[in-house]
Amino acid sequence: MTTQLQASVPATPRGKSGTMIANVFRGVDRFGIEEVARPHARAGEAVIRVTLTTICGTDLHIVRGEYPVQPGLIIGHEPVGVIAELGDGVTGYQVGDRVLVGAITPCGQCHACLAGHAAQCGHGSGYEAIGGWRMGNTIHGAQAEYVVIPYAQANLAKIPDDLSDEQVVLLADIASTGFGGAESGGIRIGDTVVVYAQGPIGLCASLGARLMGAAKVIGVDGDDHRLAMARRMGVDTVLDYRHQDVVAEVKRLTGGGADVAIEALGTQATFENALRSLRPGGTLSSLGVYSGKLQMPYEAFAAGLGDHRVVTTLCPGGKERMRRLMEMVRSGRVDLTPLLTHHFTLDKIRDAYRLFSERADGVIKVAIRPA
Amino acid sequence: MTTQLQASVPATPRGKSGTMIANVFRGVDRFGIEEVARPHARAGEAVIRVTLTTICGTDLHIVRGEYPVQPGLIIGHEPVGVIAELGDGVTGYQVGDRVLVGAITPCGQCHACLAGHAAQCGHGSGYEAIGGWRMGNTIHGAQAEYVVIPYAQANLAKIPDDLSDEQVVLLADIASTGFGGAESGGIRIGDTVVVYAQGPIGLCASLGARLMGAAKVIGVDGDDHRLAMARRMGVDTVLDYRHQDVVAEVKRLTGGGADVAIEALGTQATFENALRSLRPGGTLSSLGVYSGKLQMPYEAFAAGLGDHRVVTTLCPGGKERMRRLMEMVRSGRVDLTPLLTHHFTLDKIRDAYRLFSERADGVIKVAIRPA
Amino acid sequence: MTTQLQASVPATPRGKSGTMIANVFRGVDRFGIEEVARPHARAGEAVIRVTLTTICGTDLHIVRGEYPVQPGLIIGHEPVGVIAELGDGVTGYQVGDRVLVGAITPCGQCHACLAGHAAQCGHGSGYEAIGGWRMGNTIHGAQAEYVVIPYAQANLAKIPDDLSDEQVVLLADIASTGFGGAESGGIRIGDTVVVYAQGPIGLCASLGARLMGAAKVIGVDGDDHRLAMARRMGVDTVLDYRHQDVVAEVKRLTGGGADVAIEALGTQATFENALRSLRPGGTLSSLGVYSGKLQMPYEAFAAGLGDHRVVTTLCPGGKERMRRLMEMVRSGRVDLTPLLTHHFTLDKIRDAYRLFSERADGVIKVAIRPA
Amino acid sequence: MTTQLQASVPATPRGKSGTMIANVFRGVDRFGIEEVARPHARAGEAVIRVTLTTICGTDLHIVRGEYPVQPGLIIGHEPVGVIAELGDGVTGYQVGDRVLVGAITPCGQCHACLAGHAAQCGHGSGYEAIGGWRMGNTIHGAQAEYVVIPYAQANLAKIPDDLSDEQVVLLADIASTGFGGAESGGIRIGDTVVVYAQGPIGLCASLGARLMGAAKVIGVDGDDHRLAMARRMGVDTVLDYRHQDVVAEVKRLTGGGADVAIEALGTQATFENALRSLRPGGTLSSLGVYSGKLQMPYEAFAAGLGDHRVVTTLCPGGKERMRRLMEMVRSGRVDLTPLLTHHFTLDKIRDAYRLFSERADGVIKVAIRPA
């Protein structure tokens, strides 16, 4: 994939105000805090003063060189903050409003968005799918003191006063993606669901399965901290792939196979195990981002003749979805604060990357606070 | 409606065994325990020795003459029991198996069933919709020591050993119907749902809404016992129509209207209030059985131009659904035993009808035990 | 309903260019061609030079005083034209592009649009549903030489070179609404569908039912011209309510009731007949705009216990939908040009209203050409 | 897979009548007409005197040893015939009724059927998915003078008098499967659809896509006869993979990728081409039966981040579906008789297999008439 960095990645300060610090990607394993120009809002955009953000597994792929972005890019795509500037044409907001912004920022006005495929957003006019994920990918991101939000009208979700930054920061990506995986699985009251990998997204997918009415949620991982967190988040049964034939155990626990399997890691092994864990006619909802070709083991299905569904889901976005997720927090159905296991200030973000990358000290997610 | 009592209502004992006691309908306000012939299973049928059953609001309609059935009919349609006899062609079961049977008993083999409309079951062959509800309606019912289950192959759901009769008896009708109403409403994670009337079915609809991921469930009633039970079953906010403009309050609490309104009583007032409580584009899921014409207040919608859905749902049945609901009990998601507020033996069933009819003593549902 | 005319209804010319002629509503039965200021595009808007438009039944309601709009408003909401001006921030288009615009013009960026309810568009920011229909309702409309399109980015669908204005003008409202009614009905291969009223929208609903795979489409009306047009548009069987008990005939033709009934007029009689024409479990898709309360005849259902759906649908909009409908014309599946029975120039629009209002001379739709 | 031939494969005549001829599988490449006992109906079954049947690609797999069945089995699974015997408990039919039976014969009464997965039918009682395909697979099949239909109540669809055997015989398998693939694809009005392989099932999938409202159906094959038949069946554009880069051409014709791709052959190449032909967010509906592992080329998706669906579908069955398909024939929407390119009597069935296997003489499907 060749990624063209767009015009909104400024080489030099754009004007009237000063500078800020931000985490800038310079090349493989070369990234860190720099002083850069503070951005400003053009028509349709907003600038958010970031009050809390986090690091995503995708950011690790970027700094390792496994997902290409242009050198000079500020990375990060999960901002909570306060509106600092509003561009022309953005209505219904005030500077100073606290807002949550999804990891993807759909325009709402292109063919893909109007067809219900916000994750394939074509940025306004074209028929072409470009992709809804822009912050920290093709435009500057959120691991900074300020970040520009494109298509602000569609993407600023006001945070109710009774919710803290910590309560909502994980909704932007992992909850939205994890719940989206549960929704794509079409989970119904009484279903049995198995979730392969209990990292941040897998934990949210497990919670999403439970929220949708699964009778039994089985969580699979091989990390003691994550299995413990899975139990804490309401998973009914945890399986440790280091010690068990997990597919056989899922089949035993479900009386022949799960109704829905959710894959939340992006490896051949988890994909194939998820597929083999299904009852005939079941649904595999895949959230992982794979590299290269997957093997799809057709012979795994009962009698060689299974009818099934494989659905892949990207993070859905938009302010309406953010609003709904915040309502789930307000009503007490969703509490992701236990996943924020570690806290750092923005200037110490390299330490946060190291901890997160090494999965040290039972880390699940790190909170990054600019000030 | 003229109801033809079918051949399986025997005038005289059919054979080898003796008699049993049962609650027989004889006319308006004339019903009670009689000694009648114990039934036997013909091909495709099973006889269940009833170990627990209950009284439904529809049974009250029957004894009041508001819903016509043929005099001589044993009423009741929510049996838990033990298989006493298996007719020819029913496989995979043993006499002695504990089973739960849904309130409707679809054949699975007619055009309606094969089209996914089990509630309109045509009983085997015909194109005509006849109706899946048969027990205590067109054939003898479950308020008896023994009951015949038609299409037994499709309708006997084995009860796991770790579940008691009390834990499953309310799944047969009120949970199946109430959850069905939530499902027909298409509730999604983050929705706001209002449920009009918190009787047995309304309480289950409220629970169903929560199970499917509603962010906020609002329960409306005018009975202190029921409002208290609604809180106990997990309703977030209860509204008392005796003291509040409930539609206005729903609009205030939801910021303009509920995503889904569930009607669980069957009156013009609840139907209309439910419709007026919706946001534009919302869904009304109606579970009540109405008499006569309903007024559908189109002018109630914002700007006169609302797009919305009104869905009515009957109790779904079949052993697969019973199995799934029992799994929800096993996992602890569903516990309806608090609704079984009173217990009677079958020979005292008239006392139970009186209590249930008068809504005395905070009754929600009564448990009827034959022995 | 109190309708607030928005700022874009100019009292005086806004500037640099000249004037145009337009059909201005002044009061009940007072409307006609006036010379007014030619509008200009603000940020996010476009101005279209109208090359073809038409009159909708809703326009008749307006001029008769049955649907309130503010005096001074230019009416009409079905424009085909050429881009004359593009406001700031509208990208991917050129002045001179031929475009089709839907009757409703959703913003794509409010909570309603992002939730998939474009017809309830909240115009950008708010949680409140306002309504996607704006042109000729709350802002100036299309029966003019020029019209402003709000949220132009989401609403300009380029017309392929191989399609004429006449081929696409009826897609903006009647085809979009009629097909939307078929889609809301959930029509599947092999369904039987009855459509009550074969006016412009009913004819399109009939065609939509056929396009989705109905085995049999029955069209009901009482006008010889419309019944003839229904046959021409592919309706399998036409029923004339002047000479037949149409509900009984639908039940006979469908072996017990239609799978889907579509109501396309907005009267108690058509609504009730549509409901009575359904098989138990069927779906009523209602397109009509009703005034006052509807009677919903519950007793009409078989055995008093029907499960069914009533879905109302408003015209969906957006450039993606317009694009898809134009593809149907290009492939030859859809040809609505026979419905354009009469042609007028804009200056003769009062004659067109008279003909259309009186349903004279077999008129179905009138084509209005500004120049 | 080890296939256990069930008790209904009789070693000796079961009774009162005589013998019949049938096509018996004896081993790889060893099959042909034998005189065997004429079967009789047990409880719940029917015996059909076959008046027309055909050969399926799966039958070729059987006789080539690629799909295992037990030696001694009569093969074939697409019967049209006349009821010759009715077992106990089958109601609503008369001996002499003309009936169509689907390729799969779901029981309607097991957990899989009641959950809507007829293709995974568990044969009555069990939780286990066994598979709805029985005739010519695990019980004797339809290439015979008589065939037993299990679960007759759910599987006998009366043929309207105005339809010939030739008009309905191909509905049992190829139309049901092909249309099912279009339905699983979720095709909507205005979609673009590409169908890989224009054999019998692919031709029906193409027709199904058109019936559901596709704006453009593209058919891919490399056989002149099949491409010509595709044009005749209403495919808009045919592509010949021998002379074109079909994926590139699909992308060009659809402006970036098809909304839905249907795979109807069961090879790695067609699966992968279908996947690569999709727009981001599109759906792959796969009908082929694959052997071994499939490669699923994730990198094929735009920008590496596609959200998409892969759905596999087996032939749906049941008398309701057969009834609906026959209604499509009656209304003239579906005419598959051109696919019946060759006719044989049952005693010449080896000639028919040879022709069909070699794809000689432009054969699409062969009609086999017992008498």
Side-chain angles (χ1 to χ4, degrees), chain B residues 298-312:
Chain B
Y298 254 71
E299 91 289 355
F301 288 92
L305 292 171
D307 54 331
H308 53 283
R309 299 192 310 141
V310 178
V311 185
T312 63

mmCIF file with all atom_site columns, all heavy atoms in Angstrom, chain B residues 298-312:
data_model
loop_
_atom_site.group_PDB
_atom_site.id
_atom_site.type_symbol
_atom_site.label_atom_id
_atom_site.label_alt_id
_atom_site.label_comp_id
_atom_site.label_asym_id
_atom_site.label_entity_id
_atom_site.label_seq_id
_atom_site.pdbx_PDB_ins_code
_atom_site.Cartn_x
_atom_site.Cartn_y
_atom_site.Cartn_z
_atom_site.occupancy
_atom_site.B_iso_or_equiv
_atom_site.pdbx_formal_charge
_atom_site.auth_seq_id
_atom_site.auth_comp_id
_atom_site.auth_asym_id
_atom_site.auth_atom_id
_atom_site.pdbx_PDB_model_num
ATOM 1   N N   . TYR B 1 298 ? -51.761 9.175  13.719 1.00 0.00 ? 298 TYR B N   1
ATOM 2   C CA  . TYR B 1 298 ? -50.683 9.610  12.857 1.00 0.00 ? 298 TYR B CA  1
ATOM 3   C C   . TYR B 1 298 ? -50.202 11.013 13.164 1.00 0.00 ? 298 TYR B C   1
ATOM 4   O O   . TYR B 1 298 ? -49.030 11.327 12.999 1.00 0.00 ? 298 TYR B O   1
ATOM 5   C CB  . TYR B 1 298 ? -51.109 9.523  11.388 1.00 0.00 ? 298 TYR B CB  1
ATOM 6   C CG  . TYR B 1 298 ? -50.449 8.376  10.736 1.00 0.00 ? 298 TYR B CG  1
ATOM 7   C CD1 . TYR B 1 298 ? -50.832 7.081  11.047 1.00 0.00 ? 298 TYR B CD1 1
ATOM 8   C CD2 . TYR B 1 298 ? -49.397 8.553  9.850  1.00 0.00 ? 298 TYR B CD2 1
ATOM 9   C CE1 . TYR B 1 298 ? -50.207 6.003  10.479 1.00 0.00 ? 298 TYR B CE1 1
ATOM 10  C CE2 . TYR B 1 298 ? -48.766 7.475  9.287  1.00 0.00 ? 298 TYR B CE2 1
ATOM 11  C CZ  . TYR B 1 298 ? -49.163 6.212  9.589  1.00 0.00 ? 298 TYR B CZ  1
ATOM 12  O OH  . TYR B 1 298 ? -48.529 5.143  9.028  1.00 0.00 ? 298 TYR B OH  1
ATOM 13  N N   . GLU B 1 299 ? -51.115 11.833 13.609 1.00 0.00 ? 299 GLU B N   1
ATOM 14  C CA  . GLU B 1 299 ? -50.715 13.221 13.837 1.00 0.00 ? 299 GLU B CA  1
ATOM 15  C C   . GLU B 1 299 ? -49.749 13.334 15.004 1.00 0.00 ? 299 GLU B C   1
ATOM 16  O O   . GLU B 1 299 ? -49.156 14.379 15.239 1.00 0.00 ? 299 GLU B O   1
ATOM 17  C CB  . GLU B 1 299 ? -51.940 14.102 14.067 1.00 0.00 ? 299 GLU B CB  1
ATOM 18  C CG  . GLU B 1 299 ? -52.377 14.252 15.516 1.00 0.00 ? 299 GLU B CG  1
ATOM 19  C CD  . GLU B 1 299 ? -52.993 12.998 16.093 1.00 0.00 ? 299 GLU B CD  1
ATOM 20  O OE1 . GLU B 1 299 ? -53.173 12.015 15.348 1.00 0.00 ? 299 GLU B OE1 1
ATOM 21  O OE2 . GLU B 1 299 ? -53.296 12.979 17.298 1.00 0.00 ? 299 GLU B OE2 1
ATOM 22  N N   . ALA B 1 300 ? -49.591 12.236 15.732 1.00 0.00 ? 300 ALA B N   1
ATOM 23  C CA  . ALA B 1 300 ? -48.700 12.272 16.884 1.00 0.00 ? 300 ALA B CA  1
ATOM 24  C C   . ALA B 1 300 ? -47.236 12.425 16.480 1.00 0.00 ? 300 ALA B C   1
ATOM 25  O O   . ALA B 1 300 ? -46.406 12.833 17.281 1.00 0.00 ? 300 ALA B O   1
ATOM 26  C CB  . ALA B 1 300 ? -48.868 10.993 17.702 1.00 0.00 ? 300 ALA B CB  1
ATOM 27  N N   . PHE B 1 301 ? -46.946 12.106 15.256 1.00 0.00 ? 301 PHE B N   1
ATOM 28  C CA  . PHE B 1 301 ? -45.542 12.102 14.860 1.00 0.00 ? 301 PHE B CA  1
ATOM 29  C C   . PHE B 1 301 ? -45.042 13.493 14.539 1.00 0.00 ? 301 PHE B C   1
ATOM 30  O O   . PHE B 1 301 ? -45.765 14.336 14.032 1.00 0.00 ? 301 PHE B O   1
ATOM 31  C CB  . PHE B 1 301 ? -45.339 11.176 13.661 1.00 0.00 ? 301 PHE B CB  1
ATOM 32  C CG  . PHE B 1 301 ? -45.466 9.759  14.051 1.00 0.00 ? 301 PHE B CG  1
ATOM 33  C CD1 . PHE B 1 301 ? -46.676 9.107  13.972 1.00 0.00 ? 301 PHE B CD1 1
ATOM 34  C CD2 . PHE B 1 301 ? -44.378 9.087  14.571 1.00 0.00 ? 301 PHE B CD2 1
ATOM 35  C CE1 . PHE B 1 301 ? -46.796 7.800  14.374 1.00 0.00 ? 301 PHE B CE1 1
ATOM 36  C CE2 . PHE B 1 301 ? -44.500 7.781  14.971 1.00 0.00 ? 301 PHE B CE2 1
ATOM 37  C CZ  . PHE B 1 301 ? -45.711 7.139  14.877 1.00 0.00 ? 301 PHE B CZ  1
ATOM 38  N N   . ALA B 1 302 ? -43.788 13.668 14.816 1.00 0.00 ? 302 ALA B N   1
ATOM 39  C CA  . ALA B 1 302 ? -43.148 14.972 14.597 1.00 0.00 ? 302 ALA B CA  1
ATOM 40  C C   . ALA B 1 302 ? -43.369 15.429 13.173 1.00 0.00 ? 302 ALA B C   1
ATOM 41  O O   . ALA B 1 302 ? -43.097 14.704 12.217 1.00 0.00 ? 302 ALA B O   1
ATOM 42  C CB  . ALA B 1 302 ? -41.655 14.857 14.887 1.00 0.00 ? 302 ALA B CB  1
ATOM 43  N N   . ALA B 1 303 ? -43.841 16.633 13.026 1.00 0.00 ? 303 ALA B N   1
ATOM 44  C CA  . ALA B 1 303 ? -43.975 17.266 11.720 1.00 0.00 ? 303 ALA B CA  1
ATOM 45  C C   . ALA B 1 303 ? -44.933 16.526 10.795 1.00 0.00 ? 303 ALA B C   1
ATOM 46  O O   . ALA B 1 303 ? -44.988 16.813 9.612  1.00 0.00 ? 303 ALA B O   1
ATOM 47  C CB  . ALA B 1 303 ? -42.609 17.397 11.038 1.00 0.00 ? 303 ALA B CB  1
ATOM 48  N N   . GLY B 1 304 ? -45.693 15.576 11.332 1.00 0.00 ? 304 GLY B N   1
ATOM 49  C CA  . GLY B 1 304 ? -46.658 14.886 10.498 1.00 0.00 ? 304 GLY B CA  1
ATOM 50  C C   . GLY B 1 304 ? -46.038 13.907 9.527  1.00 0.00 ? 304 GLY B C   1
ATOM 51  O O   . GLY B 1 304 ? -46.735 13.219 8.799  1.00 0.00 ? 304 GLY B O   1
ATOM 52  N N   . LEU B 1 305 ? -44.734 13.830 9.485  1.00 0.00 ? 305 LEU B N   1
ATOM 53  C CA  . LEU B 1 305 ? -44.071 12.987 8.491  1.00 0.00 ? 305 LEU B CA  1
ATOM 54  C C   . LEU B 1 305 ? -43.076 12.066 9.183  1.00 0.00 ? 305 LEU B C   1
ATOM 55  O O   . LEU B 1 305 ? -41.874 12.299 9.149  1.00 0.00 ? 305 LEU B O   1
ATOM 56  C CB  . LEU B 1 305 ? -43.326 13.855 7.467  1.00 0.00 ? 305 LEU B CB  1
ATOM 57  C CG  . LEU B 1 305 ? -44.200 14.700 6.541  1.00 0.00 ? 305 LEU B CG  1
ATOM 58  C CD1 . LEU B 1 305 ? -43.325 15.659 5.752  1.00 0.00 ? 305 LEU B CD1 1
ATOM 59  C CD2 . LEU B 1 305 ? -44.987 13.810 5.606  1.00 0.00 ? 305 LEU B CD2 1
ATOM 60  N N   . GLY B 1 306 ? -43.573 11.065 9.848  1.00 0.00 ? 306 GLY B N   1
ATOM 61  C CA  . GLY B 1 306 ? -42.670 10.131 10.512 1.00 0.00 ? 306 GLY B CA  1
ATOM 62  C C   . GLY B 1 306 ? -42.546 8.856  9.720  1.00 0.00 ? 306 GLY B C   1
ATOM 63  O O   . GLY B 1 306 ? -43.514 8.405  9.117  1.00 0.00 ? 306 GLY B O   1
ATOM 64  N N   . ASP B 1 307 ? -41.382 8.279  9.690  1.00 0.00 ? 307 ASP B N   1
ATOM 65  C CA  . ASP B 1 307 ? -41.268 6.918  9.176  1.00 0.00 ? 307 ASP B CA  1
ATOM 66  C C   . ASP B 1 307 ? -41.030 6.036  10.396 1.00 0.00 ? 307 ASP B C   1
ATOM 67  O O   . ASP B 1 307 ? -40.148 6.288  11.201 1.00 0.00 ? 307 ASP B O   1
ATOM 68  C CB  . ASP B 1 307 ? -40.151 6.763  8.141  1.00 0.00 ? 307 ASP B CB  1
ATOM 69  C CG  . ASP B 1 307 ? -38.803 7.227  8.621  1.00 0.00 ? 307 ASP B CG  1
ATOM 70  O OD1 . ASP B 1 307 ? -38.761 8.131  9.459  1.00 0.00 ? 307 ASP B OD1 1
ATOM 71  O OD2 . ASP B 1 307 ? -37.792 6.688  8.148  1.00 0.00 ? 307 ASP B OD2 1
ATOM 72  N N   . HIS B 1 308 ? -41.840 5.033  10.541 1.00 0.00 ? 308 HIS B N   1
ATOM 73  C CA  . HIS B 1 308 ? -41.750 4.228  11.741 1.00 0.00 ? 308 HIS B CA  1
ATOM 74  C C   . HIS B 1 308 ? -42.244 2.832  11.412 1.00 0.00 ? 308 HIS B C   1
ATOM 75  O O   . HIS B 1 308 ? -42.721 2.556  10.314 1.00 0.00 ? 308 HIS B O   1
ATOM 76  C CB  . HIS B 1 308 ? -42.579 4.858  12.856 1.00 0.00 ? 308 HIS B CB  1
ATOM 77  C CG  . HIS B 1 308 ? -43.983 5.123  12.442 1.00 0.00 ? 308 HIS B CG  1
ATOM 78  N ND1 . HIS B 1 308 ? -44.328 6.172  11.646 1.00 0.00 ? 308 HIS B ND1 1
ATOM 79  C CD2 . HIS B 1 308 ? -45.122 4.448  12.683 1.00 0.00 ? 308 HIS B CD2 1
ATOM 80  C CE1 . HIS B 1 308 ? -45.627 6.141  11.424 1.00 0.00 ? 308 HIS B CE1 1
ATOM 81  N NE2 . HIS B 1 308 ? -46.127 5.116  12.035 1.00 0.00 ? 308 HIS B NE2 1
ATOM 82  N N   . ARG B 1 309 ? -42.106 1.960  12.382 1.00 0.00 ? 309 ARG B N   1
ATOM 83  C CA  . ARG B 1 309 ? -42.533 0.584  12.212 1.00 0.00 ? 309 ARG B CA  1
ATOM 84  C C   . ARG B 1 309 ? -43.426 0.195  13.384 1.00 0.00 ? 309 ARG B C   1
ATOM 85  O O   . ARG B 1 309 ? -43.144 0.567  14.516 1.00 0.00 ? 309 ARG B O   1
ATOM 86  C CB  . ARG B 1 309 ? -41.335 -0.367 12.202 1.00 0.00 ? 309 ARG B CB  1
ATOM 87  C CG  . ARG B 1 309 ? -40.350 -0.116 11.082 1.00 0.00 ? 309 ARG B CG  1
ATOM 88  C CD  . ARG B 1 309 ? -39.352 -1.279 10.977 1.00 0.00 ? 309 ARG B CD  1
ATOM 89  N NE  . ARG B 1 309 ? -38.785 -1.596 12.260 1.00 0.00 ? 309 ARG B NE  1
ATOM 90  C CZ  . ARG B 1 309 ? -38.531 -2.840 12.679 1.00 0.00 ? 309 ARG B CZ  1
ATOM 91  N NH1 . ARG B 1 309 ? -38.797 -3.870 11.906 1.00 0.00 ? 309 ARG B NH1 1
ATOM 92  N NH2 . ARG B 1 309 ? -37.992 -3.047 13.860 1.00 0.00 ? 309 ARG B NH2 1
ATOM 93  N N   . VAL B 1 310 ? -44.477 -0.543 13.093 1.00 0.00 ? 310 VAL B N   1
ATOM 94  C CA  . VAL B 1 310 ? -45.303 -1.136 14.129 1.00 0.00 ? 310 VAL B CA  1
ATOM 95  C C   . VAL B 1 310 ? -45.280 -2.640 13.884 1.00 0.00 ? 310 VAL B C   1
ATOM 96  O O   . VAL B 1 310 ? -45.667 -3.101 12.810 1.00 0.00 ? 310 VAL B O   1
ATOM 97  C CB  . VAL B 1 310 ? -46.761 -0.622 14.069 1.00 0.00 ? 310 VAL B CB  1
ATOM 98  C CG1 . VAL B 1 310 ? -47.612 -1.310 15.131 1.00 0.00 ? 310 VAL B CG1 1
ATOM 99  C CG2 . VAL B 1 310 ? -46.811 0.892  14.227 1.00 0.00 ? 310 VAL B CG2 1
ATOM 100 N N   . VAL B 1 311 ? -44.788 -3.373 14.857 1.00 0.00 ? 311 VAL B N   1
ATOM 101 C CA  . VAL B 1 311 ? -44.647 -4.816 14.697 1.00 0.00 ? 311 VAL B CA  1
ATOM 102 C C   . VAL B 1 311 ? -45.420 -5.491 15.810 1.00 0.00 ? 311 VAL B C   1
ATOM 103 O O   . VAL B 1 311 ? -45.256 -5.122 16.975 1.00 0.00 ? 311 VAL B O   1
ATOM 104 C CB  . VAL B 1 311 ? -43.166 -5.236 14.807 1.00 0.00 ? 311 VAL B CB  1
ATOM 105 C CG1 . VAL B 1 311 ? -43.002 -6.720 14.527 1.00 0.00 ? 311 VAL B CG1 1
ATOM 106 C CG2 . VAL B 1 311 ? -42.304 -4.412 13.881 1.00 0.00 ? 311 VAL B CG2 1
ATOM 107 N N   . THR B 1 312 ? -46.271 -6.437 15.460 1.00 0.00 ? 312 THR B N   1
ATOM 108 C CA  . THR B 1 312 ? -46.935 -7.205 16.506 1.00 0.00 ? 312 THR B CA  1
ATOM 109 C C   . THR B 1 312 ? -46.329 -8.599 16.525 1.00 0.00 ? 312 THR B C   1
ATOM 110 O O   . THR B 1 312 ? -45.930 -9.139 15.499 1.00 0.00 ? 312 THR B O   1
ATOM 111 C CB  . THR B 1 312 ? -48.449 -7.304 16.289 1.00 0.00 ? 312 THR B CB  1
ATOM 112 O OG1 . THR B 1 312 ? -48.698 -8.012 15.083 1.00 0.00 ? 312 THR B OG1 1
ATOM 113 C CG2 . THR B 1 312 ? -49.077 -5.924 16.198 1.00 0.00 ? 312 THR B CG2 1
#
